[in-house]
Amino acid sequence: MSLDDLYREVILDHYSHPRNKGTVDPADIVREGANPLCGDEIRVSLRLRDGLVEDVRFDGKGCSISQASASMMTELIKGKRVEEAERLIGALKAMMHGEDLIEGLGDLEALQGVRKFPVRVKCATLGWITLEQALAELASR
Ligand code: ZN
């Protein structure tokens, strides 16, 4: 199996069996993001506790890349410190814009192949940018 096939399989697995799908209840914040170029919509809800992302969920519709990336995001971010979540958002965005992937990002590696298709980069970053905006809004309260 080629690396591209493997990556495709990881993305399809998250798309068909999304992790942490739904809405956190009660949530500290709910944020919606959209990528009109592709028709992707993502809603991110989360709850913080003692500086940790206690729970994070997503809901939405759109292409496999947008939904799979959001699924991977919730899996990775849940239970992490807010600062670590912010660092991971930065790492994902840097990767999608051509930098090497840092170690330990698990399934996110599968999104590297998307970089070859600039139109799809917005799909892959949608959930992350929505999460970033949610965290920024919480920090400003
Ligand atoms: Zn898309």
Side-chain angles (χ1 to χ4, degrees):
M1 189 188 286
S2 77
L3 200 55
D4 275 351
D5 288 341
L6 180 68
Y7 286 165
R8 195 168 301 122
E9 215 155 271
V10 171
I11 289 170
L12 283 177
D13 178 55
H14 274 273
Y15 180 59
S16 320
H17 309 284
R19 323 304 199 254
N20 305 302
K21 187 132 193 215
T23 307
V24 175
D25 180 28
D28 291 332
I29 191 162
V30 181
R31 262 277 184 176
E32 285 173 8
N35 171 23
L37 285 175
C38 184
D40 307 320
E41 292 172 14
I42 298 273
R43 189 178 67 223
V44 175
S45 57
L46 66 130
R47 185 172 65 243
L48 305 182
R49 190 183 191 120
D50 300 330
L52 297 178
V53 179
E54 186 181 46
D55 201 2
V56 54
R57 293 181 179 271
F58 85 99
D59 211 340
K61 57 185 167 79
C63 69
S64 57
I65 291 170
S66 67
Q67 306 301 307
S69 180
S71 168
M72 293 175 194
M73 176 184 82
T74 60
E75 197 170 52
L76 199 68
I77 296 295
K78 197 169 175 174
K80 293 280 198 310
R81 298 199 61 78
V82 171
E83 299 78 36
E84 175 68 0
E86 286 166 344
R87 191 185 67 81
L88 290 167
I89 293 167
L92 184 277
K93 289 203 297 188
M95 178 187 90
M96 295 313 300
H97 291 102
E99 284 177 38
D100 288 340
L101 183 63
I102 58 169
E103 295 290 314
L105 289 190
D107 289 347
L108 285 178
E109 213 176 299
L111 294 173
Q112 285 181 98
V114 175
R115 295 191 298 205
K116 286 180 278 186
F117 311 99
V119 174
R120 312 309 298 278
V121 167
K122 278 193 162 53
C123 305
T125 54
L126 176 61
W128 297 79
I129 288 169
T130 308
L131 173 69
E132 185 176 43
Q133 290 170 345
L135 289 173
E137 194 177 318
L138 281 175
S140 71
R141 279 183 188 168

